[in-house]
Amino acid sequence: MPYSAEISRTNPSCILFLLDQSGSMQDDLPGEAGRKKADSLATVINRLLQNLVLKCAKSEGVRDYYHIGIIGYGGKVAPAFAGALAGREVVPISEIANSPARIEERSRKIDDGAGGLVNQTIKFPVWFDAVAKGGTPMCQALSTAERVLQGWLNQHPDCYPPIVINITDGESTDGNPEQPAQNLREMRSSDGPVLLFNIHISSTQSTPVEFPASPDELPDEYARVLFKLSSVLPDQMRGMAEQDGKRVHPGARGFVFNADMVSLINFLDIGTRVADSNLR
Amino acid sequence: MQIKSQVAWLPKAGNAPDEYEDAFWPEHDIACSAQAFSFAVADGATEASFSGIWARLLTRAWCRGWFGDKRIDQALPKLQQEWLQAVSTRPLPWYAQMKLEKGAFATLLGLHLRSTGDGRGAWHAMSVGDCLLVQVRDGRLLRSFPLDDDTQFTSNPRLIGSRPELVGNAKQARLSTSGEWSAGDRFYLLSDAIAAWTLREAGKGAEPWDLLDTTLQEGDFPLFIRHLRSRQEIRNDDVTVKRIELA
């Protein structure tokens, strides 16, 4: 059965993020003046990395169940870790844990238990900084992912298949991404094909379309292109999405169109949580 | 009553012995005569940090009688403090500190036996979560607690947490039961992976306790568990078996 490999320190899994850093990511999130898409995405990614570190952290240290890569694409296509990890394409989670670019103190409001709110200061490690400049060279990003994973799969041929998560707010500006996406999805480990998921961040206030099973559920041609780029959700992930209250039909793709930050976070949680039950 | 007990344990496949997060008390085999005796087994939650330490503190506390109704309100906060002190002995990296603040979690199963004379007695047990107590008489399953079917095991058992605000949850999650014992009875305290296998085998009409006894006697428990794992008859997880025989 595919997508059933155990993930362990000797057989880690790889998660690769492809993050749109084009100029339009400077725009505000729809309906949220002052909150830029790029900044919100950076917060979401940094929080996700923190959660992955905590998931792997044990009493003796951080177990390298995952190796993670972040590739930004905008004015250039390049690895996007900041600080000591700058330039690194794929990094074991223990190194990520020990090398945040910085640890910020951020304030959040929490319930004071008496009907009010108080400010709480929390530590917020940062590995990735928001950038928003240039076009959307998605084809080059997908080809870069293919090259990176070729190296990864040579070293880990029996891994739980790598997961590539592409987050974009617009159309590719360097050609039709269907072929490079297909090349990526045709790569495989002994446990199954690489998974390519796509999340489109909305520029208008619209209802997200989550995990569509048919292109007919989508509002326009661009959405249907991204649909075609996306892998079908493995059964285990489909089960998790259903457990979270989503209606996810057989054949549903790992794809969200017109995502807001909430659906982005939920999707990323499902896309990376699958490994939990396989963690050894 | 004459009590003999043995314990066998194995960490999850792929983990080192010091990464084992179950716990048991007493921590050594027993052969003695006593009016009363307590045993406990606990299973630390993998997702939390320092759960093995927490599991151990819980088993020891049960055997000291700290989980009775009158004592638990003072006992749990004391244990939580003890845990925090044990894990705060050195400066920790940011992620370890964050994990510490979330606390540790574990299931707990405690058994208290007492003699009423003439090779008979009474017992009571307490459970939070899915460690299993099995009582066997004349080769037959007499009682299992708190579960009686292998389909009842889930990936979300109730847990006792090490954060102070979780004392109420622990009290709410406790299940208790009691029974009687006669000379010759065997009790097994099992952590969840081996517990599920035991109930499944019992459900098929087999006598898995005899197999457990044989492996304990012959000292080949690790081989036995590896065999079950290779045939996927048991989930890959820490395994603990505490066997008690009364005379």
Side-chain angles (χ1 to χ4, degrees), chain B residues 47-88:
Chain B
E47 313 76 61
S49 267
F50 305 108
S51 283
I53 298 175
W54 179 236
R56 187 170 183 265
L57 286 173
L58 290 175
T59 55
R60 195 177 65 182
W62 162 267
C63 292
R64 287 177 172 170
W66 285 17
F67 277 84
D69 277 335
K70 298 200 173 96
R71 295 197 64 181
I72 192 173
D73 282 317
Q74 285 109 36
L76 258 186
K78 228 177 128 195
L79 279 175
Q80 288 162 345
Q81 232 355 79
E82 208 175 324
W83 175 81
L84 196 56
Q85 275 167 8
V87 301
S88 304

Side-chain angles (χ1 to χ4, degrees), chain A residues 32-163:
Chain A
E32 296 191 55
R35 280 189 72 199
K36 297 190 199 313
K37 285 188 270 187
D39 293 337
S40 295
L41 176 60
T43 297
V44 167
I45 295 294
N46 284 314
R47 172 73 55 68
L48 178 67
L49 289 172
Q50 176 184 304
N51 289 341
L52 288 172
V53 166
L54 293 180
K55 196 180 294 192
C56 298
K58 304 293 172 190
S59 316
E60 80 282 357
V62 177
R63 293 186 186 171
D64 283 326
Y65 293 128
Y66 303 111
H67 292 216
I68 314 277
I70 307 182
I71 295 170
Y73 59 98
K76 57 179 180 167
V77 177
F81 278 116
L85 300 177
R88 300 273 300 275
E89 285 181 334
V90 180
V91 183
I93 193 82
S94 61
E95 284 190 54
I96 292 175
N98 291 319
S99 301
R102 60 188 181 278
I103 298 187
E104 292 180 358
E105 302 232 321
R106 292 197 181 180
S107 193
R108 69 176 179 188
K109 292 207 184 310
I110 57 164
D111 190 342
D112 69 359
L117 294 171
V118 285
N119 275 334
Q120 185 191 46
T121 305
I122 56 163
K123 289 199 185 316
F124 191 81
V126 172
W127 290 274
F128 167 71
D129 285 317
V131 167
K133 203 161 89 165
T136 311
M138 197 184 297
C139 295
Q140 195 183 341
L142 290 164
S143 301
T144 302
E146 186 191 345
R147 176 184 58 71
V148 168
L149 289 185
Q150 195 60 71
W152 169 267
L153 286 166
N154 283 343
Q155 292 190 320
H156 305 97
D158 301 317
C159 64
Y160 184 98
I163 300 172

Side-chain angles (χ1 to χ4, degrees), chain A residues 9 54 57-59 97-98 280, chain B residues 13 15 19 46 50 94 99:
Chain A
R9 284 163 281 183
L54 293 180
K58 304 293 172 190
S59 316
N98 291 319
R280 193 206 269 191
Chain B
N15 282 8
E19 293 168 349
T46 305
F50 305 108
W94 69 267
K99 220 110 189 224

Side-chain angles (χ1 to χ4, degrees), chain B residues 25-245:
Chain B
W25 201 273
E27 290 184 321
H28 49 273
D29 292 353
I30 297 281
C32 71
S33 175
Q35 275 299 107
F37 212 96
S38 294
F39 297 91
V41 151
D43 181 352
T46 305
E47 313 76 61
S49 267
F50 305 108
S51 283
I53 298 175
W54 179 236
R56 187 170 183 265
L57 286 173
L58 290 175
T59 55
R60 195 177 65 182
W62 162 267
C63 292
R64 287 177 172 170
W66 285 17
F67 277 84
D69 277 335
K70 298 200 173 96
R71 295 197 64 181
I72 192 173
D73 282 317
Q74 285 109 36
L76 258 186
K78 228 177 128 195
L79 279 175
Q80 288 162 345
Q81 232 355 79
E82 208 175 324
W83 175 81
L84 196 56
Q85 275 167 8
V87 301
S88 304
T89 51
R90 57 190 196 284
L92 294 172
W94 69 267
Y95 49 84
Q97 189 60 41
M98 262 192 208
K99 220 110 189 224
L100 205 76
E101 283 159 19
K102 291 182 193 285
F105 295 85
T107 62
L108 176 65
L109 172 68
L111 171 67
H112 180 77
L113 297 153
R114 61 185 172 82
S115 170
T116 51
D118 288 339
R120 306 180 104 77
W123 59 268
H124 73 263
M126 183 207 80
S127 161
V128 175
D130 59 1
C131 289
L132 186 76
L133 175 70
V134 164
Q135 182 180 10
V136 173
R137 180 173 293 170
D138 299 327
R140 287 177 305 110
L141 176 65
L142 195 63
R143 289 284 301 275
S144 69
F145 166 75
L147 305 171
D148 45 36
D149 188 295
D150 71 296
T151 61
Q152 293 169 339
F153 289 87
T154 72
S155 52
N156 295 313
R158 305 298 296 273
L159 300 166
I160 305 179
S162 66
R163 291 201 325 269
E165 66 270 28
L166 296 175
V167 173
N169 290 17
K171 285 168 68 176
Q172 237 188 9
R174 280 182 308 171
L175 295 171
S176 299
T177 194
S178 56
E180 46 74 33
W181 61 266
S182 308
D185 282 0
R186 290 174 273 163
F187 287 87
Y188 299 82
L189 281 72
L190 308 163
S191 61
D192 63 327
I194 191 74
W197 173 82
T198 301
L199 286 181
R200 194 163 52 251
E201 290 298 299
K204 291 188 224 166
E207 293 175 359
W209 29 88
D210 287 345
L211 208 48
L212 290 175
D213 285 1
T214 305
T215 66
L216 281 166
Q217 221 165 7
E218 296 184 0
D220 59 1
F221 185 76
L223 199 62
F224 170 66
I225 297 297
R226 283 186 197 115
H227 174 72
L228 292 183
R229 284 173 180 163
S230 68
R231 292 161 59 101
Q232 302 195 316
E233 290 183 39
I234 188 173
R235 203 167 46 81
N236 184 21
D237 195 1
D238 292 338
V239 170
T240 304
V241 173
K242 199 174 240 306
R243 175 191 186 274
I244 301 154
E245 187 169 355

